[in-house]
Amino acid sequence: MVTVNLGMLHYVLDHIYGAFMHRTKMSTPFFSRGWGGTKLEMLEKMINQLFPEVAGQNWPPKLIEPVWRTVWETKNASLREGVFRTPCEEQLLGALPPESHTARVAFLMPKSVSPNRMACVVHLAGTGDHTFERRLRLGGPLMKENIATMVLESPFYGQRRPVLQRGAKLLCVSDLLLLGRATIEEARSLLHWLDYEKGFGKMGICGLSMGGVHAAMVGSLHPTPVATLPFLSPHSAVVAFCEGILKHGTAWEALREDLAAQKVAMTLEDVRERMRNVLSLTDVTRFPVPKSPSAVIFVAATDDGYIPKHSVLELQKAWPGSEVRWVTGGHVSSFILHNDEFRRAIKDGLDRLPWKESQL
């Protein structure tokens, strides 16, 4: 009888998928146009401004005014799509590609009760998630629990993708930081809109992979308790691009040549170290502990080829009171097979929050 180590099988599946996506001639690598020059320097300064000593100065965020169209409506629920100008400040707006200046959202909402007796969760995009569909499928079954779903299309993705970018392969390292900073600003404004304009009784923020990193940052910076639900997510982009499978899909030689053109001679190992330093800006353990750590639930995979276990545990250690749940599988298989576990975490995280005071 042949016994199969399922964990190893999931891990190998991640590597096969990664090889196909990131190592073949068919695919452009990440950061094929280098670091991003002065944009990168500007972003390094701006991201440091997000941190605790100035976090209070960044609230409330800019109010957004989405313009809606109804996709479908029944007696029980509706799906609307909305657009709004990204609330990013002018300096950030100037660095974003024009295609990313208009944000797009899908809003799936049950009609069973009024918003003040309902929760809403903002779903952020993982790497390569260019459409609303997967996240709407994740959120759809939660309507029976009176949980609405707001899906944000990321800058640089979907209809917001720059014309020269192929798929999810960002052209410059600065684009990754831009995508993150703009997503954080937009998600914070959406949470404020859901609270201030719509009056939802509870709110949450979730995301898979890269979206989970951004969700953790948004949840950390929110001034009131929100359910914070990072799924299959590292504590930092350093892990994804310098340790996990994505390191094989990164244009290290182009990054070295970009530095050489600036008269900076570096070995490839030096280039990787510079990448670590730049991406350390995305380290969520530097962010404040969320207001309700018990409503933070990480869902991680036992055999993830993209995200090592130590990365998940670092974030749990930095946020005492948070919970880690493990699903059996790799990054790719868990993405496909464990939606029920993600939904359970969303419901449980929201259940750990009190209703807004107007409900009492």
Side-chain angles (χ1 to χ4, degrees):
M1 181 179 171
V2 179
T3 58
V4 178
N5 182 332
L6 277 179
M8 181 55 71
L9 199 61
H10 290 302
Y11 187 78
V12 168
L13 175 63
D14 279 353
H15 279 267
I16 291 169
Y17 178 81
F20 176 74
M21 291 299 290
H22 308 303
R23 294 198 198 187
T24 63
K25 297 289 183 193
M26 291 161 55
S27 65
T28 309
F30 284 95
F31 317 132
S32 58
R33 298 205 171 188
W35 297 92
T38 54
K39 279 188 187 179
L40 186 59
E41 295 161 26
M42 179 265 288
L43 282 157
E44 288 178 282
K45 287 180 191 158
M46 288 186 80
I47 287 168
N48 279 320
Q49 290 164 11
L50 276 173
F51 290 120
E53 60 273 17
V54 290
Q57 296 169 23
N58 297 329
W59 195 265
K62 281 187 190 171
L63 268 179
I64 54 171
E65 296 179 351
V67 176
W68 298 100
R69 73 174 184 89
T70 300
V71 179
W72 56 257
E73 186 163 12
T74 67
K75 66 174 194 260
N76 299 318
S78 67
L79 175 64
R80 294 188 293 162
E81 288 185 4
V83 293
F84 58 92
R85 181 178 165 81
T86 183
C88 296
E89 59 194 81
E90 287 305 313
Q91 195 178 17
L92 199 59
L93 197 65
L96 277 171
E99 297 91 339
S100 290
H101 286 194
T102 299
R104 293 179 67 241
V105 287
F107 190 19
L108 182 63
M109 187 170 165
K111 295 180 176 179
S112 45
V113 293
S114 61
N116 64 336
R117 293 299 304 165
M118 197 186 298
C120 186
V121 177
V122 176
H123 293 238
L124 303 182
T127 303
D129 191 355
H130 288 273
T131 69
F132 297 138
E133 277 68 31
R134 190 204 60 75
R135 286 171 285 161
L136 287 173
R137 284 199 303 273
L138 178 62
L142 291 168
M143 284 199 294
K144 66 179 182 293
E145 308 286 350
N146 293 327
I147 299 171
T149 293
M150 176 76 81
V151 179
L152 173 65
E153 181 180 74
S154 279
F156 293 90
Y157 278 21
Q159 293 184 24
R160 306 179 72 186
R161 180 166 57 90
V163 67
L164 294 175
Q165 179 184 305
R166 294 188 62 184
K169 301 300 175 64
L170 302 173
L171 295 171
C172 300
V173 175
S174 60
D175 291 347
L176 184 66
L177 299 183
L178 261 175
L179 186 162
R181 180 62 201 261
T183 297
I184 290 166
E185 295 300 328
E186 290 168 7
R188 296 185 84 197
S189 286
L190 279 169
L191 285 173
H192 186 50
W193 183 84
L194 289 166
D195 183 15
Y196 185 75
E197 293 288 331
K198 298 296 287 183
F200 276 92
K202 297 183 185 186
M203 292 177 303
I205 182 102
C206 76
L208 274 142
S209 197
M210 173 185 77
V213 176
H214 298 149
M217 293 173 174
V218 173
S220 155
L221 293 169
H222 202 73
T224 58
V226 291
T228 303
L229 307 148
F231 303 145
L232 311 178
S233 302
H235 74 286
S236 161
V238 171
V239 176
F241 286 97
C242 300
E243 294 179 33
I245 288 168
L246 291 183
K247 70 183 178 188
H248 303 299
T250 299
W252 298 109
E253 189 58 43
L255 292 168
R256 191 177 70 80
E257 287 169 7
D258 188 17
L259 291 168
Q262 301 167 44
K263 306 291 189 285
V264 181
M266 283 195 176
T267 65
L268 282 176
E269 194 45 53
D270 292 334
V271 173
R272 288 189 174 94
E273 190 53 36
R274 172 160 164 71
M275 180 72 94
R276 283 180 174 275
N277 288 336
V278 169
L279 295 187
S280 69
L281 290 166
T282 67
D283 185 341
V284 185
T285 64
R286 300 173 65 196
F287 282 66
V289 178
K291 296 293 182 289
S292 180
S294 65
V296 179
I297 301 175
F298 305 99
V299 180
T302 52
D303 301 281
D304 195 320
Y306 287 77
I307 315 297
K309 285 183 184 177
H310 77 80
S311 182
V312 181
L313 297 174
E314 277 184 51
L315 198 42
Q316 185 196 27
K317 184 180 173 186
W319 289 357
S322 61
E323 180 186 352
V324 175
R325 296 180 179 180
W326 297 95
V327 292
T328 302
H331 200 75
V332 176
S333 60
S334 297
F335 199 87
I336 297 164
L337 298 175
H338 290 303
N339 280 324
D340 283 344
E341 289 303 321
F342 302 143
R343 289 185 196 107
R344 189 170 293 117
I346 289 170
K347 182 178 183 303
D348 291 348
L350 290 166
D351 282 347
R352 294 172 188 180
L353 292 176
W355 290 99
K356 271 197 327 200
E357 284 182 16
S358 61
Q359 286 301 264
L360 300 176

